[in-house]
Amino acid sequence: MTSLITGGSGFLGSSIARELISQGENVVLFNRSGKQGMIPDSIVDKVVFEQGDLACWAEVLDVVSKHKVDTIYHCGALLSGSAEESPLKAYEVNTLGTWYILEAARLFDVKKVLFVSSIASFGSYIEDPVPNTAPQYPSTLYGVSKVSSERLGEYYKTKFDVNFRGVRFPSVIGPKRGEGGASAYSSLVFEKAVLGEPYSIYVEPNSKIPLLYIKDAVKALIELGNADENSLNYRMYNIRGFSPTAKQIVEEIKEILPDAEISFDPNQDMINIVDGWPDCLDDSEAQNDWGWKNDYNIKDTLLDFKNELEC
Ligand SMILES: NC(=O)c1ccc[n+]([C@@H]2O[C@H](COP(=O)([O-])OP(=O)(O)OC[C@H]3O[C@@H](n4cnc5c(N)ncnc54)[C@H](O)[C@@H]3O)[C@@H](O)[C@H]2O)c1
């Protein structure tokens, strides 16, 4: 079986690649840079790197036809900050790019397209926890591009029977996620504590954030891909994770790493962004339809961060 991962050298794509390689699949990574990115050295010789641009129809078509792809994990995108900085580019990469992926899937009989959407596809002032079918009126271009991609995927399923399925994730955290985005503190605080470095959190102790550990994110995508078609009542599914306050994160870390040096230096701009997000996504539809269940709560996440960073 051959899987194509768009954005495959990024944070999520590289973790999916690692898991698929461990399951014996052929993995092709489609990325703008064509470089190793976050792909670990241990699998760099086991994957195929293809340089290409999601916004270029010919390059998308070429990579899907050349590798006789069975499944596409469509992770390539401009994320929220970059999308606001370059809205037209974000529209081309995120929305047109999804269209090209779906069209290539239709033309070359790709068996499944798995798409990664986001909690950012919902706007503010919404019921919390956010139901699977909550109205989607996002305030960011990133969110708009996710909603349009979701609807395009559903259109391709209805009209052409392209087997489109997708998840909406909260903020995904894991080792080496980096400093981008207002939610970055929730990953960095774990990482710095394990590395024995001081860290200052830029939100209030009671700021709450919905989080999902990277290994659960990978598991959700792969399990949704394997789910029986007849059990699916939706094409898109909310995935929940856990929703700690910053204070709870610090308390959990101190229990395992009592010497961790963590302080608070709140920044009002960051607080406004984080406090504007819903506290959590209701994932009961994913639980009911395909048996979704998280493996990682906050404590397991910290322990696995420690394990991964110490390897
Ligand atoms: N990280 C999160 O918290 C989170 C939460 C919800 C959804 N998502 C979604 O998950 C997916 C992966 O996100 P990530 O966190 O791994 O981000 P990332 O920035 O690490 O990965 C995105 C990848 O897309 C690639 N890319 C960008 N423009 C491209 C183009 N024109 N052509 C080809 N490739 C291009 C980048 O090179 C990068 O490798 C995205 O679709 C994102 O919207 C992420």
Side-chain angles (χ1 to χ4, degrees), residues 57-133:
W57 165 228
E59 289 174 2
V60 172
L61 196 70
D62 186 50
V63 76
V64 175
S65 69
K66 179 173 154 191
H67 292 281
K68 303 195 174 16
V69 172
D70 296 295
T71 304
I72 300 175
Y73 292 85
H74 181 30
C75 304
L78 293 193
L79 271 62
S80 49
S82 320
E84 289 309 314
E85 274 166 28
S86 316
L88 180 57
K89 187 78 202 152
Y91 178 82
E92 289 170 349
V93 174
N94 295 10
T95 304
L96 273 182
T98 301
W99 191 323
Y100 297 157
I101 286 292
L102 291 163
E103 186 59 6
R106 178 181 81 83
L107 289 171
F108 295 103
D109 292 325
V110 173
K111 294 189 186 78
K112 275 168 206 158
V113 177
L114 292 156
F115 176 63
V116 190
S117 186
S118 162
I119 193 170
S121 65
F122 298 105
S124 322
Y125 310 111
I126 199 164
E127 199 180 336
D128 214 336
V130 182
N132 204 61
T133 52

